[in-house]
């Protein structure tokens, strides 16, 4: 350590320079002296509101239209008629948007099937209330197949990508091909459930999605092609 004024080398433990007498300050022993700030200290305690309180308010806002609709329906109709559809729809929306907020770790692998189950529950309620018979032959297999495809995409994107980002192309390419096949499934279910004629319109989205999916897979396989696209389009 050297004196900042005269440059003489100082020994450890000295309190002042032996040559010029300048007081020596050791960096390890320096403490911050309180000084008057030009502004008062910022108090952010009021800015932090407990998440539980906000969620309770949000839950009340979702519950309010359900309660009002049920009361009006009971008053006018003497039973639960149209208010049941409103209640089921608002409840499914609450499960999809607000239920994950109650948890600190919101894993989409868990909450996406719950959301799909809530939507299928709404479809089942509508089917039962209207006396229809389309839930089991159409809504359940169509919704279940879509849930399986999207859940597989979510799981693979979350756990199978890692540092190899190009694996996303494999996943999205496979998902595109699967969605093309899903379109054919929907047309077939419409045919056997509602008796609609088979126009084979599903072949068009199947062809487009299959080409897009295969293109993604080819790009994922070819490293030079990936690098070229990355340099040109920052992909």
């Amino acid at each position: 350590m050297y004196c900042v004024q005269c440059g003489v080398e100082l020994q450890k433990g000295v309190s002042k320079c032996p040559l010029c007498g300048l007081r020596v300050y050791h960096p390890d022993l320096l403490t911050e002296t309180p000084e008057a700030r030009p502004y008062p200290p910022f108090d952010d305690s009021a800015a932090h509101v407990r998440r539980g309180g906000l969620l309770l308010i949000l839950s009340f806002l979702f519950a309010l239209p359900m309660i009002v609709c049920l009361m009006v329906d009971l008053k006018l109709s003497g039973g639960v008629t149209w208010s049941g559809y409103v209640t089921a729809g608002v409840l499914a929306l609450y499960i999809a948007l607000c239920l994950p907020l109650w948890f600190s770790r919101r894993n989409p692998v868990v909450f996406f099937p719950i959301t799909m189950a809530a939507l299928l529950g709404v479809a089942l309620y509508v089917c039962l209330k209207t006396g229809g018979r389309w839930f089991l032959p159409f809504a359940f297999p169509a919704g279940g197949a879509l849930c399986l495809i999207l859940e597989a995409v979510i799981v693979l994107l979350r756990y199978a990508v890692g540092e190899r980002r190009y694996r996303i192309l494999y996943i999205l390419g496979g998902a595109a091909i699967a969605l093309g096949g899903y379109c054919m499934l929907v047309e077939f279910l419409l045919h056997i459930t509602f008796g609609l004629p088979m126009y084979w319109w599903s072949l068009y989205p199947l062809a487009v999605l299959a080409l897009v999916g295969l293109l993604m897979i080819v790009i994922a396989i070819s490293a030079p092609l990936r690098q070229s696209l990355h340099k040109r389009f920052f992909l």
Side-chain angles (χ1 to χ4, degrees):
M1 188 170 62
Y2 298 88
C3 178
V4 296
Q5 180 169 309
C6 63
V8 68
E9 186 176 0
L10 303 175
Q11 297 180 356
K12 290 185 178 180
V14 296
S15 59
K16 64 179 180 177
C17 177
L19 182 61
C20 64
L22 181 68
R23 186 177 178 183
V24 178
Y25 293 94
H26 296 274
D28 298 336
L29 302 178
L30 289 177
T31 57
E32 183 181 358
T33 57
E35 299 179 357
R37 298 182 179 180
Y39 54 88
F42 177 70
D43 184 14
D44 59 345
S45 59
H48 294 282
V49 182
R50 292 184 59 186
R51 186 179 62 178
L54 289 176
L55 290 176
L56 288 176
I57 295 174
L58 194 60
S59 301
F60 174 76
L61 293 177
F62 272 88
L64 185 61
M66 294 190 292
I67 296 174
V68 171
C69 290
L70 286 173
M71 293 178 61
V72 172
D73 195 13
L74 290 174
K75 182 67 175 180
L76 298 178
S77 306
V80 179
T81 56
W82 55 269
S83 61
Y85 304 111
V86 178
T87 302
V90 173
L91 186 59
L93 188 63
Y94 177 83
I95 292 174
L97 299 180
C98 299
L99 181 62
L101 299 179
W102 286 96
F103 300 87
S104 58
R105 296 181 178 179
R106 295 179 286 273
N107 191 344
V109 176
V110 177
F111 288 104
F112 178 75
I114 296 176
T115 301
M116 291 298 298
L119 295 177
L120 287 175
V122 174
L124 177 60
Y125 177 80
V126 173
C127 182
L128 294 176
K129 290 293 289 185
T130 56
R133 298 180 180 179
W134 47 266
F135 179 78
L136 286 179
F138 176 73
F140 183 72
L146 182 62
C147 180
L148 289 177
I149 294 173
L150 297 181
E151 178 71 4
V153 172
I154 294 173
V155 171
L156 292 175
L157 288 176
R158 188 174 180 85
Y159 299 110
V161 175
E163 297 181 355
R164 300 180 179 179
R165 307 297 294 177
Y166 65 89
R167 291 181 178 178
I168 297 178
L169 295 173
Y170 286 111
I171 298 171
L172 296 181
I177 298 174
L179 288 176
Y182 176 77
C183 293
M184 294 196 66
L185 174 64
V186 170
E187 184 178 15
F188 177 72
L189 293 175
L190 288 173
H191 173 68
I192 63 174
T193 304
F194 303 104
L196 298 179
M198 291 288 293
Y199 293 110
W200 299 105
W201 56 264
S202 58
L203 293 177
Y204 298 102
L206 173 61
V208 173
L209 291 172
L211 289 176
V212 172
L214 290 175
L215 179 61
M216 290 183 178
I217 294 175
V218 170
I219 294 174
I221 294 174
S222 176
L225 184 57
R226 291 200 315 269
Q227 296 174 359
S228 175
L229 291 175
H230 178 71
K231 292 180 180 179
R232 291 178 178 271
F233 304 104
F234 301 100
L235 296 177

